[in-house]
Amino acid sequence: IRLLEASFDLNKWLDPERKSRLAQELGLPPRKVAVWYQNKRARWKNRSLEEDHEALRQRLESVLAENQRLEKEVERLREELDKTHRDMLVSFTVPPYNSCDEAAGSSSFLHLGSEHHLEKEIYGCNFFAAPSVSL
């Protein structure tokens, strides 16, 4: 059997010349050598398929775990993006005045102590501000 195993390890397929030589060395009919090779190939193929199946199963588990990790990361990033958008919208609103008319009509605008004070009041009037957005 060791001779058959060693021969099989070298080549999984049995050519007629090698079949005759092995049969002669072992004192068996060539048909028995051929059947042994056939059975050995079937067992080898099944073992190989089982190993491939196990490797694929492990790879699938790994990919599913990575997919789950990435989905959690996407959700975290979406939440972070939503928070950033909310923070940006809040920072773009101008709380003291909704329009330049309100800035001009405020009581502090009437008490101009300096030109610098006027610049502060006009700065409060944002000509380019988007309308306030409530969240």
Side-chain angles (χ1 to χ4, degrees):
I1 289 184
R2 281 185 240 157
L3 181 60
L4 288 171
E5 293 282 349
S7 176
F8 184 83
D9 288 342
L10 292 174
N11 190 349
K12 310 291 185 243
W13 299 98
L14 187 61
D15 59 68
E17 183 182 312
R18 192 160 48 140
K19 177 171 64 173
S20 296
R21 187 176 45 81
L22 286 170
Q24 187 177 7
E25 286 180 33
L26 296 169
L28 297 171
R31 180 74 189 132
K32 283 201 181 236
V33 172
V35 169
W36 185 91
Y37 252 79
Q38 203 173 20
N39 290 339
K40 181 70 173 178
R41 249 192 329 271
R43 286 189 303 272
W44 170 77
K45 185 176 180 179
N46 283 337
R47 190 176 326 113
S48 178
L49 288 173
E50 288 171 0
E51 290 170 0
D52 290 349
H53 178 266
E54 181 61 23
L56 287 171
R57 188 189 62 73
Q58 289 176 358
R59 178 70 178 131
L60 175 62
E61 286 179 11
S62 172
V63 167
L64 289 173
E66 178 69 3
N67 186 51
Q68 190 174 32
R69 185 193 68 76
L70 290 171
E71 285 176 351
K72 286 179 182 178
E73 178 72 5
V74 165
E75 182 61 29
R76 185 190 67 75
L77 290 171
R78 281 187 178 141
E79 289 171 1
E80 188 177 320
L81 183 62
D82 288 346
K83 182 184 180 308
T84 302
H85 281 141
R86 285 191 305 271
D87 291 349
M88 288 176 63
L89 287 173
V90 167
S91 70
F92 284 128
T93 60
V94 183
Y97 308 109
N98 286 333
S99 70
C100 293
D101 294 337
E102 287 183 35
S106 72
S107 60
S108 63
F109 197 83
L110 298 175
H111 304 299
L112 298 177
S114 70
E115 193 173 300
H116 178 69
H117 185 73
L118 176 63
E119 287 174 5
K120 286 169 113 180
E121 290 295 326
I122 292 175
Y123 181 76
C125 174
N126 189 348
F127 293 102
F128 302 103
S132 297
V133 176
S134 60
L135 300 175

